[in-house]
Amino acid sequence: MSDGENQDQSPGRGKGNGRTPPDADPVLPRVATGDPAAINECYDRFGGLVWSLARRFCPNASDAEDAVQEIFIDVWKSAARYDSEIASETTFVAMIARRRLIDRNRRRQRRPPMPTLPEQAAAPAEAVGEEEQSEDVRLAAEAFEKLRPEQKQVLRLAIHHGCSHEQIATTTGMPLGTVKTHARRGLIKIREILRAQGKLMDEAGNRPGEDDS
Amino acid sequence: MSGSSPIPNDLPSEDARAWSLADRALLGTCGPDVSTSLRIVEYLDESFDYAAAATDIALFPPAERPPEALRRRVTATLGRLSEASRPSPIPMPQTAATTANTAIGAPTTASTGRWGWIAAAAAIAIAVAAWWPVTEIDRATPDGSPALFRNALIADRSTAVVACACTEDPLCIGSGECGDIVWNAERGEGYLRLVGVEPNDPSEFQYQLWIVDSTRDERYPIDGGVFDVPGDCGEVIVPIRATVPVGDAALFAVSVEKPGGTVVSDRRFVAVAPVG
């Protein structure tokens, strides 16, 4: 994906196709109460997101299916602490998914390599699950565009597969220290921009604008 | 191993913390050379993880549909879990979230702000404690003296019982709460009751209890003792063995550590119990 891709979303709530915005009717609070219907709805809403992430991080479809199962259990366990004032449900679910997938990757790297099945071609990039883009995702896209080209290059590699600094250095030919600096400063910049727009809490648990020195 | 994150020594601590949290969000780990720069409350900061997740979706929007069989598998599993964990008709999680919002919004000064996470977690703990069936507390193992001492301590009016909340660590297999802390500040005596946590092989790792004392520097929590969770044990009750007197316990946390425990935690927590 080029830097300019995914920038065709209009500000606000995405493509305006008349569907319900993703966070207009939050499902996680209902998942937390044990509502059986909410579990199905949660999967329908975020299954595409989680599956796409898992396919990207996992070596084969079977591993991705196991990961998706684990991620949705994590989501179910964490649903009660979702706070709509901090992030959208989409971002919350993606955060949980990324953590699990990065953790699985780290564990996998400690094991002997397993033979992997050939990668299946991805289905066309049609709307999957969520047709609308959450505000924090739109803001993240805008923030990403404000980064320096080298930061974008490194951050894209880091985020896409959870590539290590060494792997990125090998791929890009950049010195290891430069890779680390670009990855960290790039993400810090995006976080700062999101916080400036009233998103996320800081390390002290403060919301934007609250004790934000 | 340079894979994690050597932080230049001359970096201001604020930058070191931010770099460390950025590494965790992108790589899933903080290097051993930087993890010590994180306080417990900072370790639980998720803002960098949220930023990475939002950027991930922005750059790589979902492009594949999951197999239909996976839908059946996941929803069936979640349905069973949900059914098995429904102890009360009271919608506790919503109450907890609402209370937590109120607590987070309250701090008005820097000193209270840094405790924002603890305040939020405490609100959740209070809600859990309010919802907790009394019979759960009474169901102590009949043959274990820690259980008997624990029950005796609960009978003391000055004893506090606070719920332990699961973290997202894979070793915590329960949901929501995973036990409690019974703590009597006057006596400096207490017990940890832990359920739904994976058994450990003591030769590989052990669990360690930490106490954040608000009268001390929060960077240096008090070691509350190392313990094991046996494989045949659904519930474990552990006496709290603080290595120094506890002034004002603000938070209890259980971490995963190397065999024998540590003096500087890697801050991999499986359960936390904020004291309201």
Side-chain angles (χ1 to χ4, degrees):
Chain A
M1 172 183 287
S2 71
D3 292 343
E5 282 183 11
N6 199 45
Q7 297 305 303
D8 56 346
Q9 315 279 349
S10 59
R13 288 291 188 180
K15 301 168 191 169
N17 57 8
R19 299 190 185 220
T20 305
D23 296 304
D25 179 23
V27 68
L28 292 177
R30 286 185 284 126
V31 170
T33 63
D35 177 357
I39 288 173
N40 291 331
E41 192 178 333
C42 179
Y43 185 87
D44 290 341
R45 196 176 290 189
F46 302 115
L49 167 68
V50 173
W51 173 249
S52 296
L53 281 163
R55 288 294 284 129
R56 184 163 17 108
F57 276 77
C58 296
N60 55 59
S62 173
D63 194 61
E65 290 188 12
D66 291 343
V68 169
Q69 166 107 331
E70 289 182 12
I71 290 165
F72 272 100
I73 291 173
D74 289 345
V75 169
W76 174 76
K77 287 169 64 177
S78 306
R81 68 179 183 82
Y82 169 68
D83 185 342
S84 61
E85 293 187 22
I86 297 173
S88 66
E89 287 194 327
T90 310
T91 299
F92 180 80
V93 170
M95 180 190 73
I96 289 172
R98 282 179 50 82
R99 279 186 178 170
R100 172 63 67 174
L101 292 166
I102 289 172
D103 185 55
R104 286 175 64 92
N105 268 358
R106 292 179 62 205
R107 275 186 275 143
R108 189 182 301 115
Q109 286 163 6
R110 290 197 291 265
R111 294 198 299 262
M114 299 286 287
T116 58
L117 298 173
E119 284 294 310
Q120 296 174 348
E126 57 182 327
V128 177
E130 269 201 74
E131 289 76 9
E132 303 285 342
Q133 197 177 46
S134 300
E135 187 185 6
D136 48 9
V137 174
R138 179 183 60 79
L139 289 170
E142 291 177 3
F144 184 81
E145 286 307 303
K146 294 176 181 172
L147 301 182
R148 293 162 49 192
E150 315 86 75
Q151 289 177 334
K152 288 182 186 176
Q153 184 183 14
V154 168
L155 207 51
R156 185 180 288 108
L157 287 168
I159 285 176
H160 190 264
H161 287 294
C163 287
S164 69
H165 291 142
E166 286 84 355
Q167 289 170 318
I168 297 172
T170 301
T171 302
T172 62
M174 292 182 192
L176 184 59
T178 305
V179 166
K180 292 177 180 178
T181 301
H182 286 331
R184 291 163 175 162
R185 289 192 173 151
L187 187 62
I188 289 169
K189 179 72 174 174
I190 290 173
R191 173 185 174 272
E192 286 173 354
I193 292 173
L194 284 169
R195 281 186 55 74
Q197 297 295 321
K199 300 295 176 185
L200 314 181
M201 286 197 294
D202 68 9
E203 60 270 17
N206 298 317
R207 290 161 191 280
E210 171 191 298
D211 188 31
D212 200 14
S213 54
Chain B
M1 170 76 182
S2 57
S4 29
S5 358
I7 300 294
N9 290 332
D10 56 350
L11 264 180
S13 61
E14 193 70 21
D15 285 350
R17 285 200 300 273
W19 285 33
S20 181
L21 289 167
D23 282 353
R24 188 188 64 181
L26 294 172
L27 305 170
T29 181
C30 304
D33 46 347
V34 297
S35 62
T36 52
S37 69
L38 291 179
R39 298 170 297 176
I40 283 180
V41 288
E42 289 164 343
Y43 179 87
L44 292 155
D45 173 19
E46 294 181 320
S47 61
F48 288 84
D49 306 86
Y50 277 123
T55 307
D56 191 323
I57 305 167
L59 294 178
F60 311 105
E64 292 191 56
R65 292 188 185 281
E68 181 56 29
L70 181 58
R71 182 187 198 283
R72 291 193 293 272
R73 174 183 166 189
V74 170
T75 54
T77 300
L78 292 182
R80 284 195 299 271
L81 285 170
S82 184
E83 186 65 32
S85 68
R86 197 178 298 147
S88 165
I90 300 172
M92 178 274 293
Q94 277 195 326
T95 306
T98 306
T99 315
N101 288 349
T102 306
I104 289 171
T108 54
T109 66
S111 60
T112 52
R114 77 193 309 199
W115 289 92
W117 179 85
I118 292 179
I124 293 171
I126 290 166
V128 171
W131 151 87
W132 204 307
V134 173
T135 51
E136 188 71 19
I137 297 291
D138 292 340
R139 201 190 309 152
T141 50
D143 56 342
S145 57
L148 295 176
F149 288 130
R150 175 180 173 276
N151 281 348
L153 194 61
I154 291 173
D156 188 326
R157 282 187 168 188
S158 59
T159 297
V161 181
V162 295
C164 281
C166 291
T167 68
E168 292 175 2
D169 192 283
L171 289 174
C172 195
I173 54 181
S175 67
E177 40 77 18
C178 55
D180 56 38
I181 293 279
V182 172
W183 179 248
N184 189 301
E186 294 177 8
R187 299 188 195 182
E189 178 185 353
Y191 296 87
L192 160 70
R193 186 181 67 92
L194 210 52
V195 292
V197 172
E198 290 279 10
N200 67 300
D201 178 348
S203 66
E204 291 187 359
F205 70 90
Q206 288 187 287
Y207 293 103
Q208 188 164 2
L209 179 66
W210 301 92
I211 308 162
V212 176
D213 184 344
S214 65
T215 65
R216 297 172 182 270
D217 187 332
E218 69 183 58
R219 289 175 297 179
Y220 306 106
I222 297 169
D223 174 11
V226 176
F227 63 96
D228 298 314
V229 176
D232 59 351
C233 178
E235 171 181 293
V236 63
I237 296 177
V238 183
I240 297 173
R241 305 183 193 281
T243 49
V244 296
V246 179
D248 179 28
L251 175 80
F252 295 85
V254 177
S255 67
V256 179
E257 306 292 353
K258 62 188 178 185
T262 183
V263 292
V264 180
S265 174
D266 284 342
R267 292 163 170 77
R268 177 185 169 187
F269 298 111
V270 296
V272 293
V275 180

